Amino acid sequence: MLPMKSRYALKALVFLARHQADGPVPVAGIAAAEAIPVKFLEAILLELRNSGILTSRRGPTGGYQLRVEPETVHLGDVIRNLSGPMAPLPCLSKTAYHRCTECVDEATCAVRLLMADVHAATLRIVDGTTLAQLVARVDASAVGEAEGQSERCRPEQGPVSAKLDFID
Amino acid sequence: MLPMKSRYALKALVFLARHQADGPVPVAGIAAAEAIPVKFLEAILLELRNSGILTSRRGPTGGYQLRVEPETVHLGDVIRNLSGPMAPLPCLSKTAYHRCTECVDEATCAVRLLMADVHAATLRIVDGTTLAQLVARVDASAVGEAEGQSERCRPEQGPVSAKLDFID
DNA sequence: CCCAATTCCTATCATCGCGATAGGTTTACT
DNA sequence: AGTAAACCTATCGCGATGATAGGAATTGGG
Ligand code: FES
Ligand code: FES
């Protein structure tokens, strides 16, 4: 499960990307628009600021603002900064690596072999998607919805096994 | 993080696939070989038996055994049976779906849009891999290791971005 | 210059899932 | 009978998570 911290952060960033022109946006505004607990969001945005993605200004007319262009914000970095590495196994994390005590040989570990692929696939998506791309996809899906077309229903590039597409 | 329950289960299944010819294998044997807490593994194998992929026999010369062929065991089902759905969001699970209270519109939710891809990629791997394939890969990687060759280092099918391959 | 709005900081809390253990009951082979 | 194993139920410690409380520091508007 993706932690709430990361979920809220992504929502807030999408919101801020949309309101880039409006100058600084106060936390309360974002929290109200996205139904996020104010004090919780406060802490999240603070972390995002300390990690360099956001700028803040205090006092009246203050608030948060994107520091960099949405095209340069990789969503994987957002999740990592807030919720730590997303490796499904300790032995698969670069920054927080530590040996799996239960495994005799890391090189021939079946679990590791399987999850390495999962992890790589996940990273290819979250690190390969920028905030700008995400905003664009939301817009596209909103349009597609109005036209009765989902952007995920592409007949080409079929699933590995027909019955395995989107099980759970 | 993949729960211990699932990690142990996968290890035990690989072990059982390897010892298919030996007849029933007692829990203590598997636990010793794979360094798994005996009582914990006991509960795990019991669940796997109740889900239909293992057979058990009691008394002396008893133990656990694969009920079906390793080619028909989809690893995703193993993980699901033991640790529940692996959807990264409540709204992405088929069997345990429930609406995200924090999200106004599911169709235009950025978080959902992003994680849907992650989830699909994960499912394509774990449900597209069978126990037999996993055992084969372990063997292949063991050979590759002896030859100084890792099976994951394929120059073709390059990563989306060069610096994004295997970050964390 | 004072007030209010806002970020910023620290501490604390309740809950829950997870990994694991304990202690037994039942089955079945020799 | 005796023993080895599966089977069952209950419980426990622990840490992470999501959230709240209460205030301190900063800054613009009147
Ligand atoms: S799971 Fe990390 S080495 Fe086996
Ligand atoms: S995260 Fe599920 S609808 Fe937004």
Side-chain angles (χ1 to χ4, degrees):
Chain A
M1 280 283 214
L2 187 72
M4 284 297 173
K5 225 177 180 181
S6 294
R7 294 188 216 179
Y8 291 153
L10 291 175
K11 280 171 169 284
L13 286 177
V14 168
F15 186 93
L16 284 174
R18 281 233 164 74
H19 294 71
Q20 250 182 320
D22 303 6
V25 182
V27 173
I30 308 174
E34 300 289 344
I36 303 172
V38 184
K39 290 299 262 182
F40 198 14
L41 182 59
E42 209 174 75
I44 293 167
L45 294 183
L46 200 50
E47 283 190 65
L48 288 176
R49 189 211 83 149
N50 290 334
S51 75
I53 300 177
L54 294 183
T55 294
S56 63
R57 210 170 65 200
R58 302 220 260 197
T61 77
Y64 286 95
Q65 201 172 357
L66 283 175
R67 187 193 194 89
V68 296
E69 292 304 306
E71 289 80 14
T72 70
V73 177
H74 293 265
L75 302 181
D77 294 331
V78 173
I79 299 175
R80 257 186 294 273
N81 274 322
L82 289 170
S83 311
M86 42 200 141
L89 297 172
C91 62
L92 285 177
S93 167
K94 270 260 164 78
T95 65
Y97 170 89
H98 72 100
R99 212 173 153 281
C100 300
T101 55
E102 74 267 16
C103 294
V104 188
D105 183 13
E106 199 172 85
T108 62
C109 170
V111 183
R112 186 179 146 98
L113 226 41
L114 174 71
M115 298 311 290
D117 280 4
V118 172
H119 190 211
T122 300
L123 292 185
R124 205 166 298 131
I125 294 170
V126 297
D127 282 327
T129 308
T130 66
L131 179 55
Q133 288 171 340
L134 186 58
V135 172
R137 279 193 58 185
V138 172
D139 293 341
S141 91
V143 176
E145 192 192 10
E147 293 172 357
Q149 292 248 357
S150 167
E151 88 290 354
R152 290 310 293 162
C153 295
R154 304 263 184 69
E156 54 270 21
Q157 73 168 24
V160 174
S161 159
K163 75 180 178 69
L164 286 179
D165 198 32
F166 264 78
I167 295 183
D168 200 344
Chain B
M1 279 284 216
L2 188 71
M4 285 296 172
K5 226 175 180 183
S6 294
R7 294 188 216 179
Y8 291 153
L10 291 175
K11 280 171 169 284
L13 285 177
V14 168
F15 185 93
L16 285 173
R18 281 235 164 74
H19 294 73
Q20 251 181 318
D22 303 6
V25 183
V27 173
I30 308 174
E34 300 289 344
I36 303 172
V38 184
K39 291 299 260 181
F40 198 15
L41 182 58
E42 208 175 75
I44 292 168
L45 294 183
L46 200 51
E47 282 191 67
L48 287 177
R49 186 208 125 217
N50 290 335
S51 76
I53 79 178
L54 291 184
T55 294
S56 62
R57 209 169 67 199
R58 302 221 259 197
T61 78
Y64 285 94
Q65 201 172 355
L66 282 176
R67 187 195 194 90
V68 297
E69 292 303 307
E71 288 80 15
T72 70
V73 178
H74 293 265
L75 302 182
D77 294 331
V78 174
I79 299 176
R80 256 186 295 272
N81 275 321
L82 289 170
S83 311
M86 43 199 140
L89 297 172
C91 62
L92 285 176
S93 168
K94 269 260 165 76
T95 66
Y97 170 89
H98 73 100
R99 211 174 153 282
C100 299
T101 56
E102 74 266 17
C103 293
V104 188
D105 183 13
E106 199 172 85
T108 62
C109 172
V111 182
R112 186 179 147 97
L113 226 41
L114 174 70
M115 297 312 289
D117 280 4
V118 171
H119 191 212
T122 300
L123 292 185
R124 205 167 300 131
I125 294 171
V126 295
D127 283 326
T129 308
T130 66
L131 180 55
Q133 287 171 341
L134 186 58
V135 172
R137 278 192 60 184
V138 172
D139 293 341
S141 92
V143 176
E145 192 192 10
E147 293 172 356
Q149 293 248 356
S150 166
E151 88 290 354
R152 289 310 294 162
C153 297
R154 302 265 183 68
E156 54 273 18
Q157 72 168 27
V160 173
S161 159
K163 74 180 179 70
L164 287 179
D165 198 31
F166 264 78
I167 295 184
D168 198 345

